[in-house]
Amino acid sequence: MTLFKGKKALAFIASVIASFTFAMGMEADHSASAAGQTGYISTNEGWRWLENGQKYTGFRFHMGTYYWFIDGVRQDSGWREAWGMKYYTDNEGRAVQGNYVIDGTAYNFGDNGTFFLRGKTSGYTDAGQGWKWYENGQQFTGFRFYMGTYYWFENGVREQNKWKTAWGMKYYVDNVGRAVEGTRVIDGKSYYFGNDGTFFLRDSDAGTRMIEEANHWLGIPYMWGGATQYGVDCSGFIRLVRQHAHLTDLGRTTYEQAAYLRAHGSQPKPLSQAQPGDLLFWGSVGGEYHVGMYIGNGKMIDAPQPGMTTGVHDIWDAPLAYHTI
């Protein structure tokens, strides 16, 4: 009985040794298969990048792009340093390029397959979150010059059809986000934004100021060529009023005044479209011979003719109206 038990124990020990030896042989065979190899290899620890059989740390090119490995393991979503440069790998371990937002800041990694960090993004670009304007990596709010004109951005996003304030001035951006200039009708009201590339609203109430000032100069006798409190003609009266209202000098004669308005974005319109404060001109375009100031309800303030004085008069015939600036 003792002998039998001893034989059974020996058989069990032999079986354990054989199993262990087989397992060690399997591991040895697997290790031997990875020994000396280079590339992304399936090992008994999982997929690893090996260089001559050793676990590698650094960048390696694989399936069309660069991946970062530490001790052979692919690393995701993190900053990396190599060859004296900084890089970033995305959530699949690939080195990024172009403009890329990381923790709320946009960075530029070039677009020529070199992948290293150039710096923080500035300008109008798509950094993976749609087209936005960035300044030093941050989404920008304000005006920026782009492709020949100014656009307004709010947290990087281009704004449209809105009033904006900057540098102490008012502006308006149109349906594609551009700052407007010249004369524009907005919500049924006419505004003038200049015509010299500065885009700011000159004076939305210039017409009202003209009317208010003109009321201080009623009763001045008509005088051909006059432009003072002692005597005025029609264009001289307009010049006198605008001077005291601190508005732009449009010129001395009727045709000079009309030409100035046209050159600065105010185009002629029929009397039916006139608004209080608009200037009314009689005669053909370029051949104007009389000017008055529209105050509404078929009335104007003007210096009509010799023997009369400046005052409120009925509008006659069919003059052309210009928005004043």
Side-chain angles (χ1 to χ4, degrees), residues 14-27:
S15 174
V16 172
I17 293 172
S19 298
F20 180 73
T21 303
F22 177 76
M24 291 296 291
M26 288 286 289
E27 184 174 343

Side-chain angles (χ1 to χ4, degrees), residues 14 22-23 49 61 97 99 101 124 172 176 178-179 196 214 234 254-255 257 259 264 274 293 300 305 315:
F22 177 76
W49 190 280
F61 192 79
Q97 62 177 339
N99 291 288
V101 176
Y124 198 38
Y172 190 82
V176 292
R178 297 173 301 198
D196 58 358
C234 63
T254 52
Y255 58 85
Q257 292 172 355
H264 291 78
M293 187 185 313
M300 65 178 173
Q305 62 186 23
I315 297 172

Side-chain angles (χ1 to χ4, degrees), residues 39-40 48-51 54-56 60-62 69 72:
Y40 205 30
R48 297 291 185 271
W49 190 280
L50 304 178
E51 292 283 328
Q54 300 301 309
K55 298 172 184 176
Y56 179 74
R60 278 298 177 258
F61 192 79
H62 179 64
F69 300 91

Side-chain angles (χ1 to χ4, degrees), residues 183 190 257-258 261-262 265-283 285 288 290-295 315 318-324:
T183 299
S190 182
Q257 292 172 355
L261 291 172
R262 286 194 299 272
S266 184
Q267 298 303 310
K269 56 188 177 183
L271 177 62
S272 60
Q273 297 179 14
Q275 299 177 11
D278 285 353
L279 292 180
L280 305 178
F281 290 91
W282 282 257
V285 174
E288 296 83 3
H290 185 66
V291 60
M293 187 185 313
Y294 182 64
I295 60 174
I315 297 172
L320 291 174
Y322 286 75
H323 176 70
T324 193

Side-chain angles (χ1 to χ4, degrees), residues 56 60 70 87 91 98 158 193 233 252 271 293-294 312:
Y56 179 74
R60 278 298 177 258
I70 294 180
Y87 303 80
N91 58 0
R158 188 184 65 189
F193 297 89
D233 60 13
R252 173 62 188 84
L271 177 62
M293 187 185 313
Y294 182 64
V312 177

Side-chain angles (χ1 to χ4, degrees), residues 45-190:
E45 296 178 338
W47 285 89
R48 297 291 185 271
W49 190 280
L50 304 178
E51 292 283 328
N52 195 27
Q54 300 301 309
K55 298 172 184 176
Y56 179 74
T57 294
F59 275 120
R60 278 298 177 258
F61 192 79
H62 179 64
M63 298 184 67
T65 189
Y66 284 90
Y67 293 83
W68 180 266
F69 300 91
I70 294 180
D71 290 332
V73 180
R74 190 191 76 187
Q75 304 295 304
D76 301 339
S77 300
W79 287 99
R80 318 297 172 193
E81 291 193 18
W83 310 297
M85 303 291 186
K86 290 189 71 174
Y87 303 80
Y88 189 84
T89 54
D90 64 16
N91 58 0
E92 294 183 347
R94 299 171 299 195
V96 301
Q97 62 177 339
N99 291 288
Y100 195 85
V101 176
I102 303 167
D103 296 330
T105 299
Y107 298 90
N108 180 261
F109 295 89
D111 57 3
N112 61 353
T114 54
F115 302 94
F116 66 85
L117 175 65
R118 269 62 172 178
K120 294 179 181 178
T121 300
S122 288
Y124 198 38
T125 188
D126 185 354
Q129 299 181 353
W131 282 86
K132 296 182 179 182
W133 192 282
Y134 294 92
E135 293 279 328
N136 197 31
Q138 301 301 305
Q139 297 173 5
F140 177 75
T141 294
F143 274 120
R144 280 296 177 259
F145 191 79
Y146 181 69
M147 297 184 68
T149 189
Y150 284 89
Y151 292 82
W152 181 274
F153 299 92
E154 198 79 32
N155 292 324
V157 180
R158 188 184 65 189
E159 296 281 284
Q160 301 172 6
N161 295 324
K162 291 184 178 179
W163 286 99
K164 299 296 176 183
T165 300
W167 309 298
M169 303 291 186
K170 289 189 70 175
Y171 303 80
Y172 190 82
V173 292
D174 64 15
N175 59 354
V176 292
R178 297 173 301 198
V180 302
E181 60 180 340
T183 299
R184 293 296 182 102
V185 176
I186 302 168
D187 296 330
K189 188 173 182 180
S190 182

